[in-house]
Amino acid sequence: MRLKTVKNKIGDKHFTKYVFKAMDLVKEHCNIPSETPMYLLSLARGHYFFLCNGVLYITNTTLAIDSVTKEAIVSSMELIELYKVQMFKDYSKTLKDIAFFVEILKDPRYTFTPDEFLDWVDSPCNINHEIDVPYYEVIKFLNRYNKDTFRTDRYLFYSKRDTDLNFINNLYAYDTKNQIEMKLYTFDDYAEFGEHAWEYTPPLSLKDVVVDDLGQNISDYQKRECKKAFLKLANEVNPIFNVKNYWVMELVKLAVQPVLVLHEWSCHRCFCKPNLFGDIWVYDFPKQDEEPSFFIADKGFKKVAVLKFKSAEYLFNGIYKRGMAKAKGWILSEREIKELVDFLRAPSERAEDCVKGKLYDGYEKYVKTNWQQLIFEYNHNTAGWGWGEDGYDNPPLLGKYEDGIEQLPFNLPLPDYRKLIKG
């Protein structure tokens, strides 16, 4: 891809400006020099999470809306919440391990608490796809990061704040021999490692890197030598995160120069029971041949438990991850499991709904309990059952597949999820 083509692929025009404006307001309020590097760690729980000089800043903002364009006016941004957190340990687990200061709180309805911070700092990082460690490990790394972190004998590779809003990953390179700074645009890709299974790959060849000489008329030979050095370093395994250096460079870039990355996945909520065990969901697009499952999430998707339909087992161990959507793995408590089992055994309220239509005809025909309602929602939403001309005339059968997704019969026994209770 040519540099001109890359330059034309501008990303989101607003997101980065919002983040930089919030950073600048924090720096102004806390008397931090404007040139001091500040990292965006997360947009979670309705707040920005920033790191600067070893201190965490959690903030919430408000903006005015242009009456004509209906777009937010960046210059109108104000801080309505600002908290400052000093961590005394690399892994802060208790309130004694942090100092928490309320700098701005204009509306007590939006209060962010120290306990929420401790829960967040232990959650999986979702700055980029490949690095899933808890945020406290990312904070530890960034506190030690500098321009020399990624270097060879001749080149330094680093990120810095600029006005480039490009979605294509980019960073700077400094040639210490010729004392020349360049900008590199890099292209990652996907590689198939199994049937219908893919994984990200870093740039592997010279064509995967485009060099901007920043108007210095650098020779093709110099550009090629810089690319070769970058590719070698980028594909070495990073000893801290145990992934290739490229993904750590990408993480730093997205923290220094953020662009809008979607942290979403397609799913359907079947039940909303936040006062009991949580909300129950099914996926829109699970992997082909993936064992049928549903998942339970708490408010805000801070923790997720994925249960198999056909056996009393969790589908995932450790953290929950679907693409860029990550959360703590949730081991349900004894009380939550008992509430879940009692709820799934209970009669379905929707089965008694008097609303007319094919969907409710299907409910009336097949659904008596909440367990059967959950199976109905999975079959219809996820496994493609009921969408053809026959509608719900033919019931789903065990082992029947639609586009590689298994359908489930309505007489499928409810597994004894009480076996999940830790003894």
Side-chain angles (χ1 to χ4, degrees):
M1 187 178 292
R2 296 178 180 272
L3 181 60
K4 182 178 180 181
T5 305
V6 171
K7 291 283 191 178
N8 287 333
K9 292 183 176 293
I10 300 300
D12 187 273
K13 296 181 180 179
H14 306 288
F15 176 80
T16 307
K17 294 179 182 179
Y18 296 155
V19 175
F20 283 170
K21 180 63 175 179
M23 285 181 174
D24 293 342
L25 290 174
V26 171
K27 288 180 179 180
E28 180 182 353
H29 180 85
C30 297
N31 296 314
I32 301 171
S34 59
E35 68 276 8
T36 306
M38 180 174 277
Y39 305 102
L40 174 66
L41 300 180
S42 176
L43 281 172
R45 310 175 193 218
H47 294 79
Y48 294 101
F49 290 75
F50 296 126
L51 174 67
C52 184
N53 283 342
V55 178
L56 279 298
Y57 299 90
I58 300 99
T59 187
N60 188 10
T61 63
T62 184
L63 300 104
I65 304 298
D66 188 290
S67 59
V68 177
T69 65
K70 305 303 180 183
E71 294 181 351
I73 304 172
V74 177
S75 61
S76 70
M77 182 182 288
E78 295 182 9
L79 301 177
I80 57 175
E81 290 177 84
L82 176 60
Y83 311 92
K84 186 168 68 173
V85 183
Q86 180 71 56
M87 297 173 59
F88 300 138
K89 297 180 178 179
D90 288 335
Y91 181 13
S92 297
K93 299 181 181 180
T94 70
L95 297 178
K96 294 180 179 179
D97 298 333
I98 64 172
F100 188 94
F101 305 96
V102 180
E103 297 284 329
I104 298 174
L105 183 56
K106 293 186 177 180
D107 190 334
R109 293 179 300 174
Y110 302 120
T111 299
F112 185 84
T113 67
D115 286 327
E116 287 181 282
F117 172 80
L118 291 173
D119 185 64
W120 169 82
V121 82
D122 191 38
S123 61
C125 167
N126 64 0
I127 295 176
N128 66 349
H129 180 276
E130 296 296 320
I131 297 179
D132 305 327
V133 300
Y135 274 107
Y136 67 82
E137 292 192 24
V138 175
I139 292 168
K140 179 181 178 180
F141 170 78
L142 290 175
N143 281 335
R144 293 162 172 77
Y145 172 80
N146 58 50
K147 195 174 180 179
D148 290 342
T149 298
F150 298 105
R151 68 171 302 156
T152 65
D153 291 340
R154 178 172 172 178
Y155 298 97
L156 308 179
F157 299 100
Y158 52 92
S159 294
K160 65 179 181 180
R161 174 172 167 172
D162 60 24
T163 58
D164 188 348
L165 308 181
N166 208 308
F167 277 142
I168 296 174
N169 196 28
N170 54 83
L171 70 162
Y172 288 88
Y174 184 75
D175 182 344
T176 59
K177 178 180 178 180
N178 296 313
Q179 298 184 348
I180 295 174
E181 185 178 60
M182 298 164 273
K183 190 164 189 179
L184 309 184
Y185 291 86
T186 63
F187 308 95
D188 51 10
D189 204 348
Y190 297 90
E192 189 171 13
F193 65 91
E195 187 175 1
H196 308 298
W198 301 79
E199 65 181 1
Y200 286 113
T201 59
L204 300 172
S205 64
L206 295 176
K207 66 179 177 59
D208 295 330
V209 184
V210 175
V211 177
D212 182 355
D213 63 12
L214 304 177
Q216 298 170 99
N217 196 27
I218 299 171
S219 70
D220 290 342
Y221 173 78
Q222 288 175 300
K223 293 178 182 179
R224 186 166 60 252
E225 289 300 296
C226 181
K227 288 183 181 183
K228 289 165 59 178
F230 170 76
L231 289 170
K232 182 178 184 300
L233 179 63
N235 283 281
E236 292 174 355
V237 174
N238 184 273
I240 297 176
F241 296 110
N242 198 32
V243 298
K244 289 189 175 182
N245 278 326
Y246 179 76
W247 304 119
V248 188
M249 294 178 183
E250 181 191 58
L251 178 141
V252 174
K253 188 273 170 188
L254 290 172
V256 171
Q257 178 79 7
V259 294
L260 183 62
V261 178
L262 295 179
H263 298 78
E264 61 182 20
W265 71 123
S266 299
C267 50
H268 168 62
R269 186 165 67 179
C270 305
F271 298 103
C272 179
K273 296 294 177 182
N275 294 327
L276 295 176
F277 42 78
D279 294 348
I280 300 181
W281 307 70
V282 292
Y283 296 108
D284 288 356
F285 307 107
K287 296 178 181 178
Q288 288 196 357
D289 301 325
E290 180 177 302
E291 186 157 357
S293 67
F294 60 93
F295 69 94
I296 304 171
D298 70 342
K299 184 178 180 181
F301 286 87
K302 296 186 289 292
K303 56 183 182 179
V304 175
V306 187
L307 300 181
K308 297 179 180 180
F309 268 105
K310 296 189 291 183
S311 60
E313 297 177 273
Y314 292 103
L315 184 63
F316 296 123
N317 293 316
I319 74 162
Y320 168 84
K321 180 177 180 180
R322 286 278 179 173
M324 283 290 290
K326 306 175 189 179
K328 292 181 180 181
W330 187 0
I331 302 300
L332 298 170
S333 68
E334 180 176 351
R335 176 185 61 81
E336 290 161 344
I337 290 174
K338 289 181 178 179
E339 289 174 346
L340 173 65
V341 171
D342 289 344
F343 174 78
L344 292 175
R345 286 174 173 168
S348 167
E349 296 178 1
R350 191 174 297 184
E352 301 173 359
D353 202 308
C354 62
V355 177
K356 299 297 182 181
K358 289 186 177 181
L359 184 64
Y360 288 96
D361 289 343
Y363 266 105
E364 185 176 358
K365 184 175 181 179
Y366 298 108
V367 174
K368 300 301 180 184
T369 66
N370 286 329
W371 173 242
Q372 291 175 321
Q373 180 175 333
L374 181 59
I375 292 173
F376 187 103
E377 294 293 331
Y378 165 82
N379 284 331
H380 184 63
N381 178 84
T382 305
W385 171 73
W387 292 97
E389 292 182 0
D390 295 337
Y392 306 108
D393 293 342
N394 299 317
L397 302 172
L398 186 64
K400 183 178 180 180
Y401 288 79
E402 182 69 27
D403 294 330
I405 307 300
E406 184 179 0
Q407 298 177 4
L408 299 173
F410 286 105
N411 63 357
L412 181 72
L414 174 66
D416 185 4
Y417 293 117
R418 292 172 298 183
K419 293 179 180 179
L420 298 174
I421 297 173
K422 299 293 183 180

